[in-house]
Amino acid sequence: AQSVAQPEDQVNVAEGNPLTVKCTYSVSGNPYLFWYVQYPNRGLQFLLKYITGDNLVKGSYGFEAEFNKSQTSFHLKKPSALVSDSALYFCAVRDHLNDYKLSFGAGTTVTVRA
Amino acid sequence: DTGVSQDPRHKITKRGQNVTFRCDPISEHNRLYWYRQTLGQGPEFLTYFQNEAQLEKSRLLSDRFSAERPKGSFSTLEIQRTEQGDSAMYLCASSSRGQGTEAFFGQGTRLTVV
């Protein structure tokens, strides 16, 4: 079975400060890891993914994520947050053996204050 | 717009009625997925198609739910004899085949059963 945990329901940061959204995962094989963002009344937008290779992955809108196999983590980061980054963020994992089914975390609401 | 489109965006129905949702995937994608998202939760996998073949169904998909993808293009999700517990956001996504490919999501259909 595969699963994702996002330990923080909410993250609050001031604009211009670094933003980190935490994610840990559990899969039986090698993971494919994804971050999505959801704005109110909108679908999920893809931000970035880790498949293999470099542990630091860069994605859209200045976001990056670091894959840590020993800690089974895939934390999302942004060096300088913007008010427009306020949204709901989901981490998701897919097992390379069952490469169709995404398992999502419960989501983390990010609020960036001006 | 070449993204995933879903219709309708909102549906209010009385308990016991049947409803049908439509999803048009990105045209070159041969994989199509349905997910369900309830308030405060991440999306949960329901089913997926590769071309016209439905290859996997979640245990969440009771006998009242049926999905089709005729000719491997658009897909429909039908819920018969709706119950209040069916109230949720129903998300459709598509992707190309290949390990590690990301799924692109539509804006969802919000179902309210009264």
Side-chain angles (χ1 to χ4, degrees):
Chain A
Q2 57 195 42
S3 64
V4 168
Q6 292 182 242
E8 300 161 316
D9 291 337
Q10 292 194 352
V11 169
N12 298 306
V13 298
E15 188 173 35
N17 281 2
L19 169 63
T20 298
V21 186
K22 295 180 181 177
C23 169
T24 59
Y25 66 90
S26 174
V27 292
S28 55
N30 291 326
Y32 298 136
L33 293 155
F34 304 82
W35 276 102
Y36 286 85
V37 60
Q38 188 174 35
Y39 296 97
N41 300 315
R42 301 286 295 275
L44 279 72
Q45 295 180 27
F46 169 74
L47 279 179
L48 51 77
K49 67 180 178 182
Y50 171 82
I51 305 302
T52 186
D54 195 346
N55 289 344
L56 184 63
V57 177
K58 294 187 183 296
S60 306
Y61 311 119
F63 284 94
E64 58 189 30
E66 186 165 12
F67 171 65
N68 187 318
K69 187 173 183 178
S70 62
Q71 296 186 3
T72 61
S73 67
F74 189 56
H75 301 330
L76 180 71
K77 300 179 181 182
K78 186 170 184 179
S80 179
L82 301 173
V83 172
S84 57
D85 294 328
S86 299
L88 182 56
Y89 290 81
F90 290 100
C91 181
V93 68
R94 206 161 75 204
D95 183 329
H96 80 290
L97 293 176
N98 298 298
D99 68 340
Y100 57 88
K101 177 182 175 181
L102 276 171
S103 294
F104 286 85
T108 298
T109 299
V110 170
T111 302
V112 181
R113 61 186 184 275
Chain B
D1 189 344
T2 57
V4 177
S5 62
Q6 293 187 244
D7 183 69
R9 292 288 308 280
H10 304 274
K11 178 71 177 179
I12 300 174
T13 190
K14 292 183 178 179
R15 190 174 53 187
Q17 296 295 305
N18 299 344
V19 294
T20 300
F21 309 141
R22 177 181 171 119
C23 170
D24 287 89
I26 293 171
S27 58
E28 59 266 31
H29 286 175
N30 55 9
R31 287 187 169 186
L32 185 146
Y33 315 84
W34 285 98
Y35 285 80
R36 181 170 67 188
Q37 184 180 18
T38 53
L39 199 62
Q41 299 296 320
E44 296 173 295
F45 172 81
L46 292 178
T47 189
Y48 110 97
F49 293 83
Q50 185 157 298
N51 300 313
E52 66 275 11
Q54 187 175 19
L55 297 185
E56 185 70 20
K57 291 171 61 174
S58 164
R59 285 173 290 180
L60 292 175
L61 218 62
S62 76
D63 291 344
R64 297 184 295 106
F65 288 70
S66 62
E68 294 182 342
R69 192 184 181 195
K71 303 179 183 178
S73 55
F74 71 92
S75 176
T76 58
L77 178 67
E78 181 184 16
I79 309 174
Q80 295 182 328
R81 305 181 303 282
T82 53
E83 302 173 356
Q84 286 190 323
D86 297 331
S87 296
M89 175 77 87
Y90 290 84
L91 295 166
C92 177
S94 69
S95 73
S96 55
R97 186 178 180 180
Q99 293 191 335
T101 56
E102 61 271 26
F104 293 87
F105 284 79
Q107 295 193 11
T109 294
R110 181 168 296 283
L111 173 66
T112 303
V113 181
V114 297

